[in-house]
Amino acid sequence: TPLPFAAGALRSTAIDMLAWDRALASGRLLGAEFERKRTTPEKDDYAYGVAIATKSGHRIEAHSGGIEGFSSFFARVPDLGIAVVFVCNSDAFDASEFGHSVTKMIVEAKPVVPKPERAIGALDAARAAQLAGTYDLVPASRDKIAAKLPKEILDGIATMTIGVEGQRIAVKANGQPPFFAFPAKDGTTFFTKSSGIEIFPSVTGFRLEQQGIVLDYVRASATPGT
């Protein structure tokens, strides 16, 4: 089942996004009432298609995007007349972090110190082989996030398979290509290089954490994943 829905059928370029920014800035695209509604948060900091934040007294609206093979970021700083657009033909690069850093450097007029790259540990082949298999999302985790995700996406992550590929593990959800996680220096956990996913193996399964989301999986089969 395709998970991205409309995102898989929408395409744009940096020039297109700049034209979108200029159209919004002109006031000709939306009237004042709709523009106010578009940029007024409805849930936490999220408005209609953009997250709203304030840095150094400047109001910023931004959104990132990602799909297999691509990543992107778009931000506007209306009072400065600035737009930041980043499009990349790889999903291995964190476009969101890059875009937010560039935007922050612009509004604060000072550099952002690069994050140190996380050290990769040695893969314990025996431990990785034990981890390989098929896993099911536990009902408690599904119930906890059911209100936040469409059923199609929930169904897509209901089962995960883990296999070993060289010095890393390959984790695959239903209908999606695998993502790769590397052993941490502590020898007990795995992490992805760009998406912020961490995997904590246990005797019966594993826990997956990403940006505040916690999902617990229990082993369904001892058959190694591919």
Side-chain angles (χ1 to χ4, degrees), residues 2-3 28 33 44 54-55 57 71 79 81 83 91 98 116 119-120 138 140 145 160 168 170 175 182 201 210 222 225:
L3 298 182
R28 297 192 304 269
E33 179 181 352
D44 298 326
T54 300
K55 292 185 186 299
S71 58
D79 68 319
D91 57 5
F98 178 85
I120 297 174
V138 302
I145 63 169
M160 292 275 194
R168 60 189 183 178
F182 298 82
Q210 182 184 29

Side-chain angles (χ1 to χ4, degrees), residues 40 53 66 85 91 107 111 148-149 153 157 162 167 173 178 205 210 219:
T40 300
V85 185
D91 57 5
V107 299
K148 300 179 181 180
L149 297 175
I153 294 182
I157 62 173
I162 294 181
Q167 294 300 303
Q210 182 184 29
R219 182 179 290 276

Side-chain angles (χ1 to χ4, degrees), residues 55-100:
K55 292 185 186 299
S56 298
H58 299 286
R59 185 178 173 88
I60 299 169
E61 55 187 72
H63 204 294
S64 59
I67 195 173
E68 290 83 356
F70 299 91
S71 58
S72 60
F73 176 84
F74 176 60
R76 303 180 68 236
V77 190
D79 68 319
L80 295 180
I82 289 171
V84 176
V85 185
F86 178 78
V87 289
C88 180
N89 61 348
S90 170
D91 57 5
F93 191 90
D94 191 341
S96 179
E97 183 174 358
F98 178 85
H100 279 297

Side-chain angles (χ1 to χ4, degrees), residues 136-146 216-218:
D136 292 329
L137 182 66
V138 302
S141 287
R142 186 182 181 101
D143 293 343
K144 196 171 183 180
I145 63 169
D216 287 309
Y217 287 84
V218 64

Side-chain angles (χ1 to χ4, degrees), residues 1 28 34 41 47-48 89 96 102 109 114 130 140 144 146-147 151 163 170 172 176 178 182-183 195 209 220:
T1 303
R28 297 192 304 269
F34 282 104
Y48 280 74
N89 61 348
S96 179
V102 170
Q130 289 177 348
K144 196 171 183 180
K151 182 179 181 300
K172 187 177 186 305
Q176 299 184 47
F182 298 82
S195 59
E209 296 185 7

Side-chain angles (χ1 to χ4, degrees), residues 120-129 163-170 180-183 190 225:
I120 297 174
L123 182 71
D124 184 326
R127 184 178 179 85
V164 183
E165 184 176 302
Q167 294 300 303
R168 60 189 183 178
I169 61 172
F180 301 100
F182 298 82
F190 295 83

